[in-house]
Amino acid sequence: MHIASSLLAILLASIGCVSSANGASQYAPKQPPLTTPWTDEVGTNPWPEYPRPQLQRSEWKNLNGIWRYENATSLQSVQQPPFGKHLSQEVLVPSCLESALSGIQGQYMLNSWFSTSFTVPKSWEKQRVLLNFGAVDYEATVFINGRKAGFHRGGYFHFTVDGTSHVSFDRENELLVFVHDPTDNGDSVIPIGKQTLHPSHIFYTPCSGIWQSVWVESAPANHITQLDIDANMHGEVSATVHSSQKSGTPVEVAVHERNSGEVVAYHQARSPHLYNVTVRMGADHVRSYTGFRSISKGMVDGVVRPLVNGEFQFLFGPLDQGYWPDGLYTAPNREAMVYDLKVLKKLGFNMVRKHVKIEPALFYQACDEMGFLVIQDMPALRQKAPNAKQQAEFSRQLELMVKQLKNYPSIMTWVIYNEGWGQLIDGYPEFGLTKHVKEIDPTRLVDSTSGWYDHGAGDFSDNHHYANPQCGTPFYSLDSSPYDPSRIGFQGEFGGLGSNVSINHLWNVQEAIDTIDQTYEIDESLAAWNYRSHILLGELEDQIRRFACSGGVWTQTTDVEGEVNGLLTYDRRLLRVDEMQWRADIMKLYDAGAARSHTYMPAF
C-alpha cells in the first residue's frame, strides 16, 4: 500500500495537479528532496488528535484536512478578501506552504489566502463557538462569513477567535484566513528561529501558513480561557483558572490517578484558584493534567547546581530542532514526532534542548509522559539588531511563550537568547527580560544567554564550543565567556561531528549539499564518527569530575538540510550511533555527576 501511494504521489507531482469540477486544483503531495518512513502515511486527514491536551473540551470538531489556497500579491491584499470565491489550489492543513506535504512546495510565500468551510451543530446554538489555531506563521487575519473575526501576530503561538456572532448554525460557514509571513525579507526582524528565505547550511527552508492544527469547539458564555497549574515536590498544587468574564463563578478542581481515575485531591473556591485534572467553572468543564516536581538551584559540594526535586542529576540531551524533510516544521504525524524522543530515550538521554522553535502541545505532552526534561529556547531574531519596536515585540512574544508552555512539567529552563542572535549588546536587555520571565514563571530556571554574549544575567554560565566541550572549566575560547562560579556551569552546545552518507539519506538540494563541508568536523566513516564521539564524551566526563559542569547539549538529534551532524540522518532511516557505546558513555556522565552530589545546601 505504501509503495502504491508513494508512486501515486510522485506521478501527480510530476504531471502537475488535477483540476476539480469547481476549478481548484486537487490536492496531491509534491515529491520532497528527501522522504521519511511516514511521508506516505499522512493522507488527507492529518493530526486527528485533540490538539490542546492541557485544556480539553468534549464538544469539538477537527478542521484539519484539505483547504483551498491562493497566493496574494501583497500585504494590502487583506483589504480585498475573496469572499465566496474558490481559491485556485488545494492545500493540506496543517502544513508549511514550502513543504512537499502541503501540495504547494512554494518559495517566497509572503502573503497567502486560505479558505475552508465548516458546519456548527445546532446543539451549540446557546454556546460560544470558539475557533482555535495551534500556530500560524506569521500574521493571521481571520474572516468568518464575510466579516473580520480576529487577528493574531506570532508564528509559534496558539490563539482563539470567538466566532459566535459570525457563524450560522446547522449550515456551511465560510472561513477565510489571510497570512502574512515576511520571514527575513527586507528589513523584517521578527522571531523566526532558523528560518530564512535564503537557506544555507545552519539556516533552513522557512515555514509559512497554517502549520499546526485548527479546530472549533463549543463553550458556555463564561468559559475557561487558560489554566495555570503547578504541582511541586511536596505534593502541593496551585492552580489559577482564567475566565472569559469577570465574575465569582464557583470553581471546582479535582486531581485523578491517570490509570484508575480515583480522585486524590479536590478543591472548591469562588475566585480564580488552584489539579489526570478536571476543572469545572459554572457550566464549563475541561480536562487537563499535571505532574509533581520542583525545579531550583542550590549549592552542592561548593558548586551551584540545577536541582530537580531538590537533587542534582547531570543533565544531558541533544540540540533538538524539530525539522522534517517532508513537512519542515510540521512532523508527518504524531508517531513520527514521538519517534525521535523514543530514540533519544533508548540511548539514555534525560533532556532535550528545543532549539529556537516552539513545538505543538502534543510534543510537550509526550515529553511529560516519557520523563524528558526540556530546555526551551525562545525563537530567535535573526542576526540583526532590533529597533525599539521590534525589541518590544520580541519581549511580548517571549511572554506568550512562557504563558503558553509553563503548565508542562517537563520544561525546566527558559532560554532567552541564543548566540547573540537579535541580542542588543548595548544596555543588556537580557537582565530586564530575565526578571520579567521569572515574574511570569518563578518555578523555572532561566538561561538568559546561551553562548557568546554573557553579561551575568540568569541562572546559567553557558558555554558553546565545537567540537570539544569547555564546561564549567578554567579555560574558554574567544567566542564564548569564562565560567562564572556564581551560576550553573553548562555546556549549551558541543559535538557537531559530521559524517557524510549516501545521497539516499541527504537533503537532495545542491545548494545544501555544497555547504556540507562547513560542518565543524567531518568524519570519513561511521566508525570514525563513533570514535570521535566517544573521545568528546570522555572529555565531558572528565570535566564533570574535575570542574563545575552540570549539564551538556550535544549537537544534534538529526541532520537538517545541509547539516550532517545528527545522531539520526534527516530522513530518520539511519542511526549513526553505536548504541552500546553511547549508552555506556552517557551513563558515565551521570555517574560522574552523582560522584559530585554527596552534600547540598538548601535551594535558592
Side-chain angles (χ1 to χ4, degrees):
M1 183 187 295
H2 291 172
I3 295 174
S5 62
S6 179
L7 290 174
L8 176 62
I10 295 172
L11 178 62
L12 289 172
S14 64
I15 66 175
C17 295
V18 179
S19 294
S20 62
N22 59 30
S25 59
Q26 291 181 337
Y27 168 76
K30 301 288 188 181
Q31 182 65 17
L34 185 66
T35 65
T36 71
W38 304 274
T39 302
D40 297 333
E41 298 180 0
V42 173
T44 57
N45 294 293
W47 290 89
E49 302 85 355
Y50 189 91
R52 193 181 55 203
Q54 288 199 326
L55 204 165
Q56 296 189 55
R57 289 192 169 91
S58 58
E59 295 295 319
W60 73 289
K61 295 181 65 175
N62 194 325
L63 300 188
N64 293 344
I66 304 302
W67 289 36
R68 292 181 293 276
Y69 157 82
E70 198 167 282
N71 182 59
T73 56
S74 71
L75 180 57
Q76 286 67 43
S77 299
V78 71
Q79 304 299 329
Q80 297 178 315
F83 297 132
K85 297 181 180 179
H86 285 287
L87 304 185
S88 60
Q89 295 177 264
E90 291 190 340
V91 64
L92 188 69
V93 170
S95 63
C96 305
L97 287 174
E98 294 85 351
S99 74
L101 290 179
S102 71
I104 306 298
Q105 206 171 25
Q107 294 180 309
Y108 285 81
M109 314 303 286
L110 304 183
N111 302 287
S112 307
W113 284 107
F114 293 81
S115 72
T116 192
S117 61
F118 64 98
T119 59
V120 181
K122 196 168 182 62
S123 59
W124 293 9
E125 198 161 13
K126 295 183 179 180
Q127 301 284 300
R128 307 305 293 180
V129 178
L130 306 179
L131 177 63
N132 302 286
F133 293 82
V136 180
D137 198 352
Y138 170 69
E139 293 180 350
T141 306
V142 180
F143 302 87
I144 300 175
N145 290 334
R147 291 188 292 167
K148 182 178 177 180
F151 172 82
H152 181 266
R153 176 181 292 118
Y156 299 91
F157 309 105
H158 64 65
F159 64 96
T160 298
V161 173
D162 190 331
T164 312
S165 62
H166 303 284
V167 300
S168 298
F169 294 89
D170 216 18
R171 52 167 287 190
E172 292 288 308
N173 294 276
E174 181 190 47
L175 173 59
L176 194 64
V177 182
F178 179 81
V179 178
H180 171 60
D181 183 21
T183 312
D184 54 355
N185 185 51
D187 296 327
S188 175
V189 179
I190 61 175
I192 55 172
K194 286 199 170 185
Q195 301 179 68
T196 178
L197 294 172
H198 307 282
S200 178
H201 196 48
I202 67 168
F203 298 106
Y204 319 128
T205 305
C207 173
S208 303
I210 304 171
W211 68 277
Q212 290 188 28
S213 290
V214 185
W215 73 104
V216 63
E217 62 189 0
S218 71
N222 186 25
H223 56 269
I224 298 166
T225 57
Q226 181 179 324
L227 291 177
D228 294 337
I229 302 176
D230 178 60
N232 65 31
M233 60 184 283
H234 304 294
E236 300 167 337
V237 177
S238 63
T240 302
V241 179
H242 301 258
S243 61
S244 59
Q245 299 176 359
K246 293 182 179 180
S247 67
T249 305
V251 174
E252 299 176 359
V253 179
V255 183
H256 307 260
E257 290 280 0
R258 291 202 98 180
N259 294 328
S260 68
E262 179 184 354
V263 176
V264 297
Y266 177 83
H267 189 81
Q268 184 172 355
R270 291 196 65 86
S271 60
H273 191 73
L274 342 214
Y275 223 12
N276 259 316
V277 176
T278 59
V279 182
R280 292 183 182 273
M281 186 188 72
D284 200 12
H285 176 208
V286 300
R287 290 179 293 132
S288 187
Y289 71 92
T290 190
F292 292 86
R293 62 95 191 93
S294 295
I295 305 296
S296 59
K297 61 181 179 180
M299 195 72 74
V300 180
D301 284 348
V303 179
V304 181
R305 301 291 195 184
L307 304 178
V308 180
N309 292 336
E311 297 182 356
F312 166 56
Q313 179 184 9
F314 187 81
L315 304 170
F316 191 58
L319 196 74
D320 193 71
Q321 305 212 61
Y323 267 83
W324 298 83
D326 43 15
L328 301 178
Y329 256 24
T330 307
N333 53 33
R334 188 181 185 278
E335 178 189 352
M337 181 184 70
V338 174
Y339 173 79
D340 284 1
L341 294 174
K342 288 182 176 179
V343 169
L344 300 176
K345 187 77 171 180
K346 185 178 179 181
L347 291 174
F349 292 102
N350 61 11
M351 172 269 289
V352 293
R353 178 184 171 197
K354 179 47 63 178
H355 191 42
V356 294
K357 180 195 179 191
I358 297 171
E359 293 286 2
L362 294 172
F363 172 87
Y364 301 98
Q365 181 189 37
C367 290
D368 292 338
E369 293 174 345
M370 297 174 68
F372 267 114
L373 292 169
V374 177
I375 294 176
Q376 176 64 53
D377 289 12
M378 172 65 188
L381 304 171
R382 266 292 310 285
Q383 295 182 313
K384 298 177 183 178
N387 59 33
K389 183 177 180 181
Q390 293 162 342
Q391 180 67 16
E393 181 62 20
F394 176 80
S395 177
R396 185 188 73 87
Q397 293 191 30
L398 174 64
E399 180 175 326
L400 287 180
M401 178 186 76
V402 176
K403 288 183 175 179
Q404 176 170 311
L405 300 181
K406 68 178 182 176
N407 267 10
Y408 294 99
S410 54
I411 294 179
M412 67 165 297
T413 298
W414 306 110
V415 177
I416 298 177
Y417 287 115
N418 176 73
E419 294 187 348
W421 299 350
Q423 179 184 354
L424 290 171
I425 305 306
D426 297 329
Y428 304 164
E430 64 267 25
F431 282 92
L433 293 173
T434 300
K435 179 182 178 183
H436 187 47
V437 168
K438 284 183 172 287
E439 289 171 346
I440 302 168
D441 179 18
T443 70
R444 302 317 203 294
L445 302 174
V446 177
D447 189 345
S448 306
T449 54
S450 186
W452 297 16
Y453 303 114
D454 182 3
H455 306 113
D459 299 306
F460 290 82
S461 180
D462 184 337
N463 181 298
H464 289 192
H465 192 258
Y466 290 100
N468 59 308
Q470 297 177 341
C471 183
T473 63
F475 48 86
Y476 64 98
S477 300
L478 294 178
D479 60 354
S480 196
S481 304
Y483 165 60
D484 174 4
S486 70
R487 294 178 292 153
I488 298 165
F490 195 74
Q491 189 67 53
E493 293 181 27
F494 82 114
L497 303 176
S499 175
N500 196 354
V501 292
S502 73
I503 190 64
N504 295 330
H505 299 291
L506 290 177
W507 177 251
N508 194 4
V509 174
Q510 192 60 48
E511 291 84 354
I513 293 172
D514 290 344
T515 65
I516 285 175
D517 61 0
Q518 295 178 24
T519 302
Y520 305 104
E521 173 182 314
I522 294 289
D523 302 318
E524 294 185 354
S525 67
L526 291 183
W529 186 91
N530 277 286
Y531 163 76
R532 288 289 294 140
S533 301
H534 175 67
I535 295 299
L536 296 184
L537 293 174
E539 283 192 47
L540 185 64
E541 179 197 351
D542 188 61
Q543 292 174 15
I544 300 167
R545 295 187 184 277
R546 289 175 180 270
F547 306 120
C549 182
S550 291
V553 176
W554 179 272
T555 301
Q556 59 184 327
T557 302
T558 73
D559 297 351
V560 185
E561 300 194 1
E563 284 193 279
V564 293
N565 52 8
L567 303 167
L568 287 156
T569 52
Y570 197 18
D571 59 1
R572 275 74 170 176
R573 288 187 168 98
L574 175 65
L575 181 64
R576 286 190 174 91
V577 305
D578 178 323
E579 295 185 51
M580 185 175 296
Q581 172 198 303
W582 269 78
R583 282 195 295 268
D585 286 343
I586 290 174
M587 184 55 65
K588 288 178 182 178
L589 303 181
Y590 300 145
D591 290 343
R596 300 290 305 275
S597 307
H598 297 306
T599 61
Y600 64 90
M601 295 174 63
F604 59 88

